[in-house]
């Protein structure tokens, strides 16, 4: 249908056909060529088998900014991605991405940093200034230059600069271990490393489930008397289903599912309840007790049959 209407086609997923094996890929290639689809992924997506079976096809390669494979070990398959140009007529939601800044500490050596501070910011420098503010500005400028040299400032775009409440230090640690062993396997192709990665992946899945369970359990307990906040939490937990299920009524053996007919039947039923109500059920007066101090006063409300 998209091809007949000359619309852009993007197809992606696990197609279970190895792109690297031209013989097994031939049949899929013939099919996609009929629709002028270009395959974008050429790196391995199933590391343990060394196969490229997660593929991305597009009918307009010029619209693609970037595509590839990510070294994230959430499953046996590496995730694939595609980044497409945004049409000018599509409005971009403000605040969709946030940029964060952090220091690269991988190559940071504390002793070298301390030595540079002593050598490049000598105590004699402080004697030049009479104004403490000028002295602070000078010291800060020198300090930041040295810090930038030893721990580079890195900027990265993220979708949200606030992590979910269940993402604690334990989850972070397990996730890093998982991804570390995946990258080691991609470098060495060692089967033992792959087994170690799978162990850490399974542990990470378990620890994430436990962290979510504990987090939401505590959240629900703390907000049990706050209905508004409680519903917000439940909306995050419970799965959403936008599809509306069809109502079917059985009337004298006949199934009715047409929305208009169903609505008319409900209207007829509820509007006739009063006509079919048994008034004899109200013959007994209503008795109740209201506690006032230590005494109880009993009273009755007689049935009203007509206006005075």
């Amino acid at each position: 249908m998209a091809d007949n209407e000359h619309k852009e086609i993007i197809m992606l997923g696990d197609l279970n056909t190895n792109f690297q094996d031209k013989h097994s890929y031939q049949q899929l290639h013939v099919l996609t060529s009929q629709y002028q689809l270009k395959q974008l992924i050429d790196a391995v997506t199933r590391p343990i088998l060394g196969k490229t079976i997660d593929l991305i096809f597009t009918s307009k390669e010029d619209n693609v900014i970037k595509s590839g494979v990510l070294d994230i070990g959430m499953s046996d398959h590496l995730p694939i991605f595609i980044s497409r140009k945004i049409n000018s007529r599509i409005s971009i939601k403000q605040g969709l991405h946030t940029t964060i800044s952090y220091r690269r500490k991988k190559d940071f050596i504390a002793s070298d940093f301390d030595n540079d501070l002593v050598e490049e910011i000598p105590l004699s420098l402080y004697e030049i200034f009479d104004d403490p503010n000028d002295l602070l500005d000078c010291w800060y400028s020198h300090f930041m230059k040295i810090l930038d040299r030893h721990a580079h400032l890195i900027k990265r775009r993220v979708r949200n600069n606030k992590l979910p409440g269940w993402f604690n230090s334990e989850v972070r640690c397990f996730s890093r271990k998982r991804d570390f062993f995946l990258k080691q396997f991609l470098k060495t192709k060692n089967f033992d490393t792959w087994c170690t990665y799978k162990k850490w992946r399974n542990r990470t899945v378990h620890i994430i489930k436990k962290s979510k369970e504990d987090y939401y359990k505590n959240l629900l307990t703390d907000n049990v008397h706050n209905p508004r906040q409680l519903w917000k939490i439940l909306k995050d937990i419970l799965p959403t289903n936008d599809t509306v299920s069809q109502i079917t009524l059985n009337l004298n053996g006949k199934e009715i599912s047409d929305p208009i007919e169903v609505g008319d039947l409900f209207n007829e039923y509820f509007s006739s309840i009063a006509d079919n109500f048994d008034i004899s059920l109200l013959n007994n007066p209503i008795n109740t007790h209201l506690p006032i101090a230590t005494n109880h006063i009993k009273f009755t409300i007689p049935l009203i049959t007509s206006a005075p």
Side-chain angles (χ1 to χ4, degrees):
M1 182 180 295
D3 183 64
N4 293 336
E5 297 178 3
H6 304 288
K7 292 184 177 180
E8 180 180 0
I9 300 174
I10 297 178
M11 180 177 69
L12 67 160
D14 177 9
L15 301 182
N16 205 25
T17 300
N18 186 14
F19 177 70
Q20 307 290 353
D21 185 352
K22 301 305 178 184
H23 177 71
S24 63
Y25 179 70
Q26 181 63 28
Q27 187 174 358
L28 180 60
H29 176 66
V30 172
L31 177 63
T32 55
S33 296
Q34 295 177 3
Y35 299 95
Q36 290 80 45
L37 298 180
K38 172 71 174 179
Q39 207 287 115
L40 304 177
I41 302 299
D42 55 7
V44 172
T45 62
R46 187 78 189 277
I48 189 61
L49 300 178
K51 295 182 178 181
T52 305
I53 58 179
D54 301 273
L55 310 176
I56 299 177
F57 294 89
T58 178
S59 59
K60 294 186 178 181
E61 189 179 2
D62 293 340
N63 289 341
V64 177
I65 300 174
K66 190 177 182 181
S67 62
V69 182
L70 300 176
D71 293 339
I72 300 177
M74 293 184 291
S75 72
D76 292 348
H77 294 248
L78 299 181
I80 56 177
F81 73 93
I82 179 173
S83 178
R84 188 197 180 280
K85 296 177 183 177
I86 298 294
N87 293 335
S88 58
R89 65 176 180 272
I90 300 177
S91 60
I92 301 176
K93 184 179 178 181
Q94 295 296 324
L96 185 62
H97 291 287
T98 304
T99 301
I100 61 173
S101 301
Y102 60 95
R103 296 281 177 182
R104 177 181 172 87
K105 300 179 181 179
K106 184 177 180 180
D107 302 322
F108 181 80
I109 302 175
S111 58
D112 292 346
F113 177 69
D114 293 340
N115 291 334
D116 285 350
L117 285 177
V118 174
E119 293 177 3
E120 299 184 28
I121 313 180
L123 294 177
S124 58
L125 181 67
Y126 304 146
E127 300 174 357
I128 303 175
F129 301 96
D130 296 328
D131 189 338
N133 293 324
D134 294 338
L135 173 60
L136 178 61
D137 290 341
C138 180
W139 177 88
Y140 184 77
S141 176
H142 282 77
F143 177 83
M144 292 305 297
K145 288 180 181 178
I146 299 172
L147 181 61
D148 290 340
R149 193 164 65 240
H150 287 269
H152 303 296
L153 189 64
I154 299 175
K155 290 186 178 181
R156 179 166 293 179
R157 194 182 72 173
V158 295
R159 181 173 291 276
N160 195 336
N161 61 353
K162 184 179 180 182
L163 293 173
W166 54 264
F167 195 92
N168 52 33
S169 58
E170 191 176 19
V171 174
R172 186 193 304 275
C173 178
F174 274 71
S175 300
R176 286 178 175 174
K177 282 281 188 180
R178 174 201 64 192
D179 294 342
F180 169 78
F181 284 108
L182 173 63
K183 291 177 181 178
Q184 288 295 108
F185 170 77
L186 294 176
K187 292 179 181 178
T188 62
K189 305 299 180 182
N190 183 279
F191 182 74
D192 291 336
T193 307
W194 174 259
C195 294
T196 305
Y197 150 70
K198 290 189 69 175
K199 289 179 181 178
W200 278 101
R201 186 197 65 191
N202 295 337
R203 291 175 183 174
T204 304
V205 171
H206 172 74
I207 206 69
I208 288 176
K209 287 182 179 179
K210 184 178 182 302
S211 179
K212 285 183 177 181
E213 180 182 346
D214 294 341
Y215 172 74
Y216 283 110
K217 186 182 294 183
N218 294 332
L219 212 57
L220 290 172
T221 303
D222 295 341
N223 293 276
V224 68
H225 299 298
N226 187 345
R228 178 176 295 181
Q229 190 64 24
L230 194 63
W231 277 112
K232 287 181 64 177
I233 299 169
L234 290 175
K235 285 180 66 177
D236 290 339
I237 300 175
L238 299 177
T240 57
N241 186 6
D242 296 331
T243 59
V244 179
S245 57
Q246 188 180 39
I247 298 176
T248 302
L249 299 180
N250 190 316
L251 182 63
N252 300 326
K254 179 183 177 182
E255 290 190 351
I256 301 174
S257 57
D258 181 70
I260 297 179
E261 292 186 47
V262 170
D264 290 340
L265 287 172
F266 273 120
N267 182 52
E268 181 182 350
Y269 172 77
F270 286 109
S271 62
S272 61
I273 288 179
D275 297 336
N276 300 325
F277 188 75
D278 187 2
I279 195 68
S280 64
L281 297 175
L282 297 178
N283 286 337
N284 296 324
I286 301 173
N287 296 321
T288 186
H289 294 78
L290 292 178
I292 300 179
T294 57
N295 300 321
H296 295 281
I297 299 176
K298 182 178 180 181
F299 68 93
T300 61
I301 301 177
L303 178 66
I304 299 176
T305 56
S306 60

